[in-house]
Amino acid sequence: MILDRVTYACTFDICFWNFVRFFLMDSSFFVENRLTLRAISEFGLYLVYMYICDRTDTFGYSIKSYSRDIFLFLYFLLIMVAAITSFKIHQDKSPITGKSILYLNRHQTEEWKGWMQVMFVMYHYFGALEIYNGIRVFIAGYVWMTGFGNFSYYYVRKDFSIARFAQMMWRLNFLAAFVCIVLNNDYMFYYICPMHTFFTLMVYGALRILNKYNEIGSVIALKMASCFLIIILVWEVPGVFELVWSPFMFLLGCSVTFLGPEGTRSLKEWHVRTGLDRYIWIIGMIYAYYHPTVEKWMEKLEEAEFKRRISIKLAAASVSLTVMC
């Protein structure tokens, strides 16, 4: 706690004097931070362009037109381009064992996120409603990785500093916040951001509280059980959701006309969006906890004889496909 406070005080002091130098038009400050200032300027131009496109009549509106053939052609074309330009296979090292992480390492999960983001953009751009179920699975996968990635980081790194926490919150919300300000939109229009923020806070809180006991398996089990109980209490018990989230109506309320009179703000959108994937992030935490054990099983499997290895992999693939169907 003392180290966190010292870090926070130093960070605040640096930021304060940087603002002073900026407003005093200190030339050395602009030279030292020219790349940052350039990035801020570019970001400002993007926001202006978004405002012109969305809030003015400078560019005409068009109707979305979906063609399955064009959609699949563009997607498979993107896959081919990615395959041609991707040569290097990255392998992360485990901070615990020092060995290469074979499955779900950072590069693999980032690649997974990237392909899902491509599908999100194409889905909304073309209005491809027929793949809605797949998009819901992708969103659940994203929320699963929120639990998996954050648990892995905090459990291994044990970095609960204010600086790291603030950086994470900024990364999750800065773009949506600026877009809401510029376009005067409700925050819930970009529900992915508050949803991931909430589940990230849950993971952070679960591991931050009594973090010196995180090495004890029974304590981790109790924390995960507590997460389940909180979600059950808030989402499954009538009236509790409104009681908990009503004070945040100004942030999480959404003005949707089909829910009531014109301009009425409601938490229904927040309830639906968070409710769809309310448990999957805890499953991600559980998998992250047992990930080293699964890695050991996988290593043993790769060392097994060819026929046995193939049989086990085919059996696992068959079960997975059956569940998906």
Side-chain angles (χ1 to χ4, degrees):
M1 290 296 294
I2 295 176
L3 182 61
D4 286 352
R5 291 174 183 174
V6 171
T7 303
Y8 175 78
C10 293
T11 303
F12 178 80
D13 186 59
I14 292 171
C15 291
F16 174 76
W17 284 111
N18 281 337
F19 273 114
V20 171
R21 293 175 65 192
F22 175 78
F23 285 111
L24 292 177
M25 304 297 287
D26 184 347
S27 59
S28 62
F29 170 80
F30 290 104
V31 173
E32 293 170 7
N33 299 277
R34 60 186 181 278
L35 294 179
T36 301
L37 293 171
R38 176 182 175 180
I40 293 173
S41 301
E42 291 177 353
F43 181 63
L45 290 175
Y46 295 146
L47 293 176
V48 170
Y49 178 68
M50 291 171 63
Y51 180 84
I52 292 173
C53 291
D54 200 67
R55 290 293 185 268
T56 69
D57 295 327
T58 304
F59 301 103
Y61 290 94
S62 62
I63 299 174
K64 293 182 180 180
S65 176
Y66 171 65
S67 169
R68 183 186 298 173
D69 292 339
I70 295 177
F71 184 91
L72 293 177
F73 171 76
L74 291 176
Y75 192 70
F76 285 118
L77 182 64
L78 183 61
I79 291 175
M80 288 188 290
V81 172
I84 293 171
T85 57
S86 299
F87 297 102
K88 188 175 181 180
I89 298 176
H90 298 276
Q91 287 190 337
D92 292 345
K93 297 288 186 180
S94 170
I96 299 177
T97 63
K99 297 180 179 179
S100 296
I101 302 175
L102 300 177
Y103 305 97
L104 290 177
N105 58 53
R106 180 65 180 269
H107 291 95
Q108 288 177 355
T109 54
E110 290 297 315
E111 185 78 9
W112 182 9
K113 288 180 183 179
W115 282 107
M116 289 194 295
Q117 288 173 352
V118 167
M119 188 59 78
F120 293 155
V121 172
M122 293 182 66
Y123 166 77
H124 285 289
Y125 182 83
F126 288 100
L129 298 179
E130 68 174 357
I131 63 168
Y132 173 77
N133 291 340
I135 296 298
R136 288 303 328 164
V137 173
F138 291 164
I139 294 175
Y142 238 100
V143 178
W144 182 91
M145 277 194 281
T146 296
F148 174 80
N150 283 290
F151 183 95
S152 298
Y153 179 85
Y154 290 119
Y155 185 75
V156 174
R157 304 291 182 182
K158 300 177 176 60
D159 179 9
F160 300 98
S161 64
I162 294 176
R164 161 68 187 181
F165 177 78
Q167 181 189 48
M168 176 177 57
M169 291 296 103
W170 171 260
R171 188 172 66 247
L172 284 172
N173 293 285
F174 90 96
L175 179 58
F178 278 101
V179 172
C180 286
I181 293 170
V182 171
L183 300 182
N184 193 28
N185 280 338
D186 289 328
Y187 188 39
M188 279 306 301
F189 280 14
Y190 314 98
Y191 68 91
I192 290 291
C193 296
M195 185 172 69
H196 282 289
T197 299
F198 170 63
F199 292 137
T200 298
L201 286 171
M202 289 291 294
V203 178
Y204 177 83
L207 292 182
R208 178 68 177 83
I209 298 171
L210 300 175
N211 61 85
K212 61 182 179 180
Y213 300 109
N214 283 345
E215 299 300 325
I216 303 175
S218 58
V219 173
I220 291 295
L222 180 61
K223 289 185 175 186
M224 291 183 178
S226 299
C227 290
F228 271 113
L229 290 175
I230 291 172
I231 297 300
I232 291 171
L233 176 64
V234 176
W235 271 265
E236 308 295 349
V237 179
V240 177
F241 183 90
E242 289 74 16
L243 180 65
V244 171
W245 295 110
S246 291
F248 303 97
M249 177 70 78
F250 71 97
L251 185 64
L252 301 174
C254 188
S255 302
V256 187
T257 55
F258 62 80
L259 296 178
E262 185 77 24
T264 299
R265 296 181 68 80
S266 170
L267 288 169
K268 186 171 183 179
E269 184 75 8
W270 176 241
H271 185 270
V272 171
R273 296 300 184 180
T274 53
L276 289 171
D277 305 304
R278 58 188 179 276
Y279 295 112
I280 193 65
W281 62 278
I282 308 177
I283 306 301
M285 290 173 62
I286 294 173
Y287 185 86
Y289 181 72
Y290 286 105
H291 186 254
T293 303
V294 176
E295 277 282 313
K296 292 178 182 178
W297 292 347
M298 294 297 184
E299 289 177 0
K300 290 182 179 180
L301 176 61
E302 294 301 324
E303 294 171 358
E305 61 180 9
F306 179 77
K307 289 184 178 180
R308 184 181 180 187
R309 184 168 70 248
I310 295 300
S311 299
I312 294 174
K313 289 183 177 181
L314 287 175
S318 299
V319 172
S320 299
L321 290 172
T322 302
V323 171
M324 288 178 63
C325 295

